[in-house]
Amino acid sequence: MSRVRVESFTLSLDGFGAGPDQDLQNPLGVGGGALHGWLMPTQTVQQKLFGQPSGETGIDDDFAARGFRNVGAWILGRNMFGPVRGPWPDESWRGWWGEKPVYQVPVFVLTHHARAPLVMEGGTTFYFVTEGPEVALARAREAAQGQDVRVGGGVQVIQQYLRLRLIDEMHIAISPVLLGRGERLFEGLDLPALGYACTQHQTSARATHIVLSKQ
């Protein structure tokens, strides 16, 4: 069976996976953009997001690149798709990523409000799932056709899948920044009791990389 993975999810030194007050100018909340100082310069991100042939290689890029290997579908929370809250006023919001998102596979968005599938360029289709995380995962597994499912976040979505013990492996990057406020990823979670242990750790100049695996 395909694995369920979290990849390249970054935490601040004080444990926040996003800053407060997300809006159009602050997709990761106020101050949240600083979390990804390790990720944005990598060759993987420069090529996939910006179409640039340049970018840094090394430890950070190795972890960024592994996050796209053998991924056949993604799961995102509503807030990761965009800042629109409540019932969809219309279908004008099409994501943060332009008409050709980086995913290039089916993406299942957890939401309380139904919306028709959104077909984008490059192979990405967003499906809006109102039946909860387990249904979203079942649909993502089917779409992935034997490849892995990547849970992209945000914090509350990862917490749901951790509590259900449905995440097999999770790569966390700890960035040397302090946010002070926002959403704490491990708030209220007892990871050892849920069966998770640290199975890898490696440090670069910009981040400490941790892999947690379900035992």
Side-chain angles (χ1 to χ4, degrees):
M1 182 181 289
S2 63
R3 296 185 305 157
V4 180
R5 296 155 44 198
V6 173
E7 297 283 352
S8 298
F9 196 86
T10 308
L11 297 182
S12 65
L13 284 174
D14 45 354
F16 295 103
D21 305 322
Q22 181 200 45
D23 58 21
L24 280 172
Q25 286 70 45
N26 299 282
L28 294 173
V30 175
L35 293 172
H36 289 160
W38 72 272
L39 183 62
M40 299 308 291
T42 63
Q43 186 177 82
T44 296
V45 167
Q46 289 297 309
Q47 290 178 351
K48 286 187 173 293
L49 286 187
F50 307 112
Q52 299 297 321
S54 59
E56 297 180 5
T57 58
I59 293 172
D60 292 335
D61 186 57
D62 290 343
F63 276 98
R66 68 168 246 165
F68 290 93
R69 295 191 192 111
N70 197 45
V71 173
W74 286 62
I75 295 173
L76 301 179
R78 170 79 177 265
N79 292 0
M80 287 287 289
F81 178 73
V84 181
R85 302 292 184 265
W88 301 97
D90 52 45
E91 297 190 356
S92 60
W93 179 259
R94 298 170 64 83
W96 306 102
W97 311 276
E99 290 301 307
K100 190 175 181 180
V102 67
Y103 305 104
Q104 299 178 15
V105 294
V107 179
F108 296 85
V109 180
L110 285 163
T111 177
H112 295 295
H113 302 281
R115 178 174 169 173
L118 175 60
V119 180
M120 309 292 282
E121 297 176 15
T124 301
T125 298
F126 293 102
Y127 297 94
F128 300 89
V129 182
T130 59
E131 297 92 343
E134 291 173 293
V135 170
L137 179 55
R139 293 180 61 186
R141 283 194 193 278
E142 182 179 9
Q145 299 182 351
Q147 292 185 291
D148 292 343
V149 175
R150 178 171 169 177
V151 178
V155 165
Q156 293 182 21
V157 169
I158 294 175
Q159 289 175 343
Q160 289 181 67
Y161 282 104
L162 283 172
R163 289 191 176 98
L164 292 167
R165 295 192 75 251
L166 291 173
I167 292 174
D168 297 300
E169 187 174 88
M170 179 163 55
H171 163 228
I172 299 293
I174 302 171
S175 184
V177 300
L178 296 169
L179 292 185
R181 295 187 299 143
E183 298 181 67
R184 294 185 186 273
L185 179 61
F186 297 131
E187 187 77 36
L189 293 175
D190 185 339
L191 292 178
L194 290 169
Y196 292 93
C198 180
T199 54
Q200 182 181 351
H201 61 90
Q202 197 168 1
T203 301
S204 72
R206 292 194 175 101
T208 298
H209 298 277
I210 303 293
V211 176
L212 302 175
S213 303
K214 186 168 66 175
Q215 302 301 293

